[in-house]
Amino acid sequence: MLSPWVRIPSGIVLFFINLLCLLGVIAMPMAVDEEKFLFGILITTVCAILNAWLFIKCFQLIFNLNARNGLISPFGFRVAAVMYMLLPIVGIFTGYYSQHGWLAVVQAGIYYFIGISLLSYAKQRTSRLAANKPL
């Protein structure tokens, strides 16, 4: 559990950074070409949903809500791990590896390391939450 001296300022800073990102997401459809407007709306919607989730996490940090269960559930860590592990696979189909060469290979290795770390952290959190659950 974090100290209030760490939790509250980090939640406030994260809130304002997220607010700037939300302003960028709102302005994003205006910068997209007319032929790719539907794709711009789709990306804007996904980013807005992620911003809303991050706003919830900021309020949890600031007001110490749901502190007993942690900030992110094991399911959330698994979803993040899958997303990190899908990025190198998507890079194969977009031609990212042919454009960036060895840098892309190193980057893919780092993404898989982060994904495996998140999966192991989710496993630890699941066992810790199961141990603390009353019978």
Side-chain angles (χ1 to χ4, degrees):
M1 201 150 106
L2 291 174
S3 166
W5 294 103
V6 173
R7 186 177 36 81
I8 294 173
S10 63
I12 291 171
V13 168
L14 189 61
F15 176 81
F16 285 115
I17 290 172
N18 191 29
L19 191 62
L20 287 174
C21 290
L22 183 64
L23 292 174
V25 165
I26 291 171
M28 195 183 315
M30 292 181 251
V32 176
D33 296 334
E34 289 180 11
E35 59 191 39
K36 297 180 181 177
F37 187 72
L38 187 61
F39 182 69
I41 294 295
L42 176 70
I43 296 296
T44 301
T45 305
V46 170
C47 289
I49 290 170
L50 289 173
N51 274 320
W53 176 77
L54 194 56
F55 275 127
I56 292 169
K57 296 302 169 186
C58 290
F59 284 118
Q60 284 181 352
L61 273 175
I62 294 170
F63 297 113
N64 200 22
L65 302 172
N66 202 13
R68 188 184 73 225
N69 294 334
L71 198 59
I72 300 175
S73 69
F75 178 74
F77 283 117
R78 287 185 187 103
V79 168
V82 168
M83 296 305 287
Y84 270 105
M85 290 180 172
L86 284 178
L87 284 174
I89 296 169
V90 170
I92 293 171
F93 298 110
T94 60
Y96 186 75
Y97 293 102
S98 63
Q99 290 176 352
H100 297 285
W102 285 103
L103 178 66
V105 174
V106 171
Q107 194 174 22
I110 292 171
Y111 283 153
Y112 274 110
F113 176 75
I114 291 172
I116 291 169
S117 300
L118 286 172
L119 284 175
S120 68
Y121 193 69
K123 186 177 179 181
Q124 290 173 0
R125 285 285 312 264
T126 302
S127 63
R128 192 178 326 137
L129 288 175
N132 292 338
K133 188 178 281 188
L135 296 174

